[in-house]
Structure formats: structure tokens, C-alpha cells
Amino acid sequence: KQEVTQIPAALSVPEGENLVLNCSFTDSAIYNLQWFRQDPGKGLTSLLLIQSSQREQTSGRLNASLDKSSGRSTLYIAASQPGDSATYLCAVQGAQKLVFGQGTRLTINP
Amino acid sequence: GAVVSQHPSRVICKSGTSVKIECRSLDFQATTMFWYRQFPKQSLMLMATSNEGSKATYEQGVEKDKFLINHASLTLSTLTVTSAHPEDSSFYICSAKLSGLSGSQYFGPGTRLLVL
């Protein structure tokens, strides 16, 4: 059974800092890994999707890496802004379903 | 990008009533749609996988007679919470998947259900 863990559960940093969110998964037999953003009371916004054959994906200030063999992914956010405050979820796509981590609640302080 | 809508966005109902939630893929056809439930400050838990024209596949512990899923077309799936009780209050999110095992899932904005 796939299990996805995100560390830390919550993170609060000053505006402008670079930061890293971590995601680990127990079963390396995945098709892809996605990072999502969720604002309070809202749905999910897909940020980055990394196929199992890829090592990283970049979009603007976001960079996600994937090390499938070790079951790890990181989301790097550069030059953080207050608007980046949200919960970040990682999810891995297996043969049957998408399994989510518990999320990291990120607060960027002005 | 692909857009998925849900209706209603918020619903309040009395205990014992049934509530229907619609999930639509607006600009693409989705042979597979998924229904998730999210309790406060928790992650999304898959409830069921819905394939167009066939019966939904429910995750362990999800009552199929309570959570009725219909996927009658390639752009619409519905979730009906029958005889809702306060413990069914939650945030329900659907997603629609493009074809292929590595295809992305696109998520709807969610429906907040409150059962009094």
C-alpha cells in the first residue's frame, strides 16, 4: 500500500526566503508525481507534474525534483512571497489511483 | 488548460435528506472521474473511481449504497449522498483524468457539504 509523507507539516518563513518542501513515498512503482497548491476552502491547483522518467520540472519560481529510486521529491520555492501562503500537497500516481500526502501548510510573513 | 467544474459549491441540508453533487469536464472528455473527500486539515482521500458507462469502483470502507455515483456521459459524473448525516459533512472534490496511465488529473473547485 502506497504511503506518502510530507515534511514539515507546517512552515513559516519571512518573505524573500528560498525554501524546500519534502515528500517521500514508500512504493517506487509510480507513473508520475504531482505537486498541488490548495488555498483554504478551495480546490486544488496543479503546480508541477513529473513523469516517472523525469528528474525535475520547473515553472517560474518553482522547481520540483524526483528521485524515484529513493522515493523522494522536493519542491523548491525561490524568493517566497506572501501570496505563496497555502497548503502544498504532493501526490503519486500508481496503477490504480492517486495517493496524497498530508500536505505542508506554508505561511510567508511580509 | 483542462477545466473541471462542480456544482453546487456549497450546500447545507437537513439530516436524512439526499444531496447530489455534479462534476463536469468543460473542455475535454474524461472517461475516468474520481471522487475525493477531505476532512478539515486532512488530506484528500479517494472515495471512488468512476468510469463512463460502467459501475464505479469504491475504495475500502466507502459505502456504495450511501454514496451513489453515476457517470452517464464523458463530461459528467454525479455523486449523491443519500440519507446524509452530520458525519458526512466534508469537502467533496472531483477530478477528471485525461486518457492514459500517465495523464494528469484535473480537479474541480470542491463542494462544501454541511449536514445539520
Side-chain angles (χ1 to χ4, degrees):
Chain A
K1 178 185 173 185
Q2 178 73 272
E3 293 183 2
V4 181
T5 303
Q6 290 187 246
I7 294 173
L11 180 64
S12 181
V13 301
E15 179 179 5
E17 282 201 4
N18 303 322
L19 55 99
V20 175
L21 307 182
N22 297 290
C23 173
S24 62
F25 48 96
T26 55
D27 186 349
S28 61
I30 65 171
Y31 289 100
N32 60 55
L33 181 146
Q34 279 187 268
W35 282 93
F36 295 90
R37 168 185 174 137
Q38 186 176 33
D39 292 291
K42 303 293 184 182
L44 304 182
T45 299
S46 180
L47 298 173
L48 291 164
L49 180 147
I50 311 177
Q51 300 291 354
S52 62
S53 59
Q54 298 175 323
R55 299 284 292 183
E56 65 177 345
Q57 282 287 332
T58 298
S59 176
R61 295 183 292 110
L62 305 179
N63 175 277
S65 69
L66 173 64
D67 184 341
K68 199 173 75 164
S69 61
S70 67
R72 296 178 188 275
S73 175
T74 62
L75 178 66
Y76 175 82
I77 302 177
S80 58
Q81 302 171 358
D84 294 332
S85 297
T87 295
Y88 290 80
L89 297 162
C90 81
V92 295
Q93 177 70 60
Q96 300 298 327
K97 61 184 181 180
L98 194 62
V99 179
F100 284 84
Q102 294 286 77
T104 293
R105 192 167 61 255
L106 176 64
T107 303
I108 307 299
N109 302 303
Chain B
V3 178
V4 176
S5 70
Q6 278 185 245
H7 178 80
S9 59
R10 183 185 300 264
V11 57
I12 301 173
C13 69
K14 293 182 179 180
S15 185
T17 60
S18 294
V19 175
K20 179 184 284 188
I21 303 170
E22 292 185 348
C23 176
R24 292 182 186 273
S25 57
L26 298 184
D27 51 2
F28 67 100
Q29 294 185 331
T31 54
T32 304
M33 290 184 172
F34 303 86
W35 287 95
Y36 296 84
R37 182 164 57 182
Q38 186 179 33
F39 290 108
K41 297 190 177 181
Q42 294 188 26
S43 193
L44 279 74
M45 297 300 295
L46 180 65
M47 299 174 66
T49 302
S50 167
N51 291 297
E52 187 266 338
S54 62
K55 291 184 178 180
T57 302
Y58 291 81
E59 293 298 300
Q60 190 172 9
V62 178
E63 299 175 58
K64 62 180 181 180
D65 294 330
K66 181 169 184 61
F67 298 99
L68 300 179
I69 292 174
N70 183 278
H71 192 163
S73 78
L74 288 172
T75 59
L76 173 65
S77 177
T78 61
L79 168 67
T80 301
V81 183
T82 63
S83 187
H85 289 95
E87 58 265 31
D88 298 323
S89 299
S90 187
F91 193 52
Y92 291 87
I93 303 178
C94 74
S95 71
K97 188 172 180 293
L98 295 174
S99 62
L101 287 170
S102 61
S104 298
Q105 286 189 31
Y106 294 90
F107 286 79
T111 296
R112 174 76 59 193
L113 171 63
L114 177 61
V115 185
L116 302 176

